[in-house]
Amino acid sequence: MAAVSLGIFCLITSELLPIGLLTPVGAALGVSDGTAGLMVTVPGLVAGFCAPLVTVGAARTDRRHVLCALTALMAAANLAAAFAPDFTVVLAARLLVGISVGGFWAIAGGLAARLVPAHHVGRATALIFGGVPTASVLGVPAGTLLGELGGWRTAFGAVGVLGALTAAALLLLLPPLPPSGPVTFRELPALLRRNRGVRAGVVVTFLVVTGQFAAYTFVRPVLRDVSGVGSGQVSTLLLGYGLAGVAGNFLAGPREARRTLLAVSATLTAVLALIAVVPGAAAGTVLLLVWGLFYGGVSVSLQRWMLQAAPRAAEAASSLMVAMFNFAIAAGALAGGLAVDGVSVPAAPLTGAALMLAAAVTVAVTSRTARRERDRDPSGGVPDHRPAGSAPSAAPAPSASPVADPTPEQKGWIGRNGHPA
């Protein structure tokens, strides 16, 4: 389990590494901050497409071999970027990173039930997906610090070496994992069509993550131009952001997903708007720490939302969330880059604030709709009391598709402790 979590940490760190190195990479290779943001946009787009493609395409391949191959591909891509002579080669390497990220994350999400006893599945799933927020909030600051000490090429090279070691660990530590119950392409649109909770979760994922990365991709220029933070202090501040994010992840873990995401999106609307206009290093530092604390709970809350909305189609739901999460990273980096190049640096966090506001409205409206439906039908069927990510106690009757005859939880929402909301 630790090797799988480390794999996710390496891959997500690799995907987001350019965020802390945007300015030095752009300066060294002669491109603007907005253009350098393509280093985040390209792998995000590719990962979004590859999450379902790799899940379906590797249907007959041992999962251990797939995970090792994807991790090795990521390692090679980062080493190529470390020695790249120009920005075009860097972008080509980033494309390979996107393939690795999308496929690994989507497949790893369903492994907990196969690696540990049933009573440990919930904690094992949390451990696997803990690599996502940890990479988001610690991998980037660590990479930024390494880049400041040894140059941006050193940072890319270090991630490449760590990826190679992780691939070896996966090969040695994971047992054979032959495929079981593979996802098919037709199941994905069927799940979106029939499951209201999954549809809403995908929309909220897009809005929150796009808003985050429209702002966070350009956090270094924002701290420099608005807050007046010196370049030597950025890595320290991002480390504080990371520690706050880890705390936010643990605080959000046991809480109800929709309420948590409503609080997160509403708070970040205000934080991103303020960090765009309030000058001063002290104000920038406080706002950055609050930003990290609240965003740290996003990944675990989105994952719980999807698993609770479709507990009997968890792999398909996870694949959809991973795809949209990565599309949103790309969309956010692109939107922020257009805002920076077309307007100004503060326009990036302001764009993020607008998207966070849209996310807060979406969560509030869908929650109200779910409550009205519950009031009209108090019985709502028999809820599923299993913890998110745990194996079912009995297999459902076979059908043409896992979503052909939707269960009560697939028809709508699951709230706190697995009860219909």
Side-chain angles (χ1 to χ4, degrees):
M1 293 302 304
V4 178
S5 183
L6 178 61
I8 287 189
F9 173 83
C10 290
L11 286 152
I12 303 302
T13 296
S14 177
E15 183 178 16
L16 304 182
L17 182 63
I19 289 175
L21 304 173
L22 210 63
T23 301
V25 172
L29 299 180
V31 297
S32 68
D33 283 346
T35 301
L38 291 173
M39 292 187 293
V40 181
T41 302
V42 168
L45 284 172
V46 174
F49 281 111
C50 287
L53 289 178
V54 173
T55 301
V56 176
R60 301 184 183 277
T61 306
D62 188 301
R63 294 317 199 221
R64 179 181 64 166
H65 296 156
V66 175
L67 296 181
C68 290
L70 291 171
T71 306
L73 179 63
M74 178 274 294
N78 278 283
L79 291 173
F83 293 98
D86 54 45
F87 191 67
T88 302
V89 176
V90 171
L91 281 186
R94 301 297 296 165
L95 184 149
L96 299 179
V97 169
I99 296 173
S100 303
V101 170
F104 192 106
W105 189 355
I107 291 174
L111 291 183
R114 304 182 62 183
L115 294 174
V116 299
H119 59 283
H120 288 315
V121 166
R123 282 185 291 176
T125 301
L127 175 62
I128 288 177
F129 282 96
V132 178
T134 303
S136 301
V137 300
L138 288 182
V140 172
T144 302
L145 178 61
L146 188 59
E148 290 178 353
L149 295 176
W152 65 270
R153 294 182 185 274
T154 300
F156 279 106
V159 174
V161 171
L162 181 60
L165 295 174
T166 302
L170 289 166
L171 185 61
L172 293 173
L173 299 178
L174 283 181
L177 294 168
S180 61
V183 178
T184 63
F185 280 119
R186 73 172 185 170
E187 293 175 25
L188 303 180
L191 184 61
L192 278 175
R193 184 174 63 252
R194 294 175 181 271
N195 191 310
R196 185 181 297 108
V198 169
R199 285 200 306 273
V202 167
V203 172
V204 172
T205 298
F206 174 77
L207 292 172
V208 169
V209 179
T210 302
Q212 162 70 9
F213 284 93
Y216 190 56
T217 303
F218 301 93
V219 65
R220 185 169 185 146
V222 169
L223 292 174
R224 177 194 65 203
D225 294 356
V226 178
S227 303
V229 174
S231 59
Q233 299 173 295
V234 171
S235 60
T236 303
L237 291 182
L238 289 180
L239 181 59
Y241 172 98
L243 294 174
V246 171
N249 176 62
F250 285 106
L251 288 172
R255 300 180 184 276
E256 198 273 322
R258 286 179 292 135
R259 292 180 182 176
T260 301
L261 287 168
L262 180 59
V264 165
S265 53
T267 301
L268 291 183
T269 298
V271 168
L272 296 182
L274 289 172
I275 204 169
V277 298
V278 177
T285 298
V286 171
L287 290 169
L288 188 67
L289 293 177
V290 175
W291 184 356
L293 178 67
F294 278 83
Y295 185 73
V298 166
S299 294
V300 64
S301 297
L302 288 173
Q303 186 64 37
R304 289 183 65 241
W305 180 318
M306 299 301 280
L307 293 178
Q308 290 173 347
R312 299 186 187 180
E315 188 173 345
S318 180
S319 178
L320 290 170
M321 191 275 286
V322 171
M324 184 53 71
F325 199 107
N326 284 282
F327 279 135
I329 291 175
L334 180 60
L338 292 173
V340 168
D341 286 349
V343 184
S344 64
V345 167
L350 289 175
T351 300
L355 289 164
M356 288 293 180
L357 179 59
V361 172
T362 301
V363 175
V365 169
T366 52
S367 298
R368 186 178 300 113
T369 300
R371 285 196 298 270
R372 288 175 179 172
E373 292 185 355
R374 178 198 60 192
D375 292 341
R376 287 199 298 267
D377 182 13
S379 63
V382 180
D384 189 336
H385 292 276
R386 296 189 306 274
S390 63
S393 57
S399 62
S401 165
V403 293
D405 296 309
T407 61
E409 65 266 33
Q410 288 176 322
K411 292 178 181 177
W413 294 85
I414 298 293
R416 180 184 290 273
N417 297 326
H419 294 280

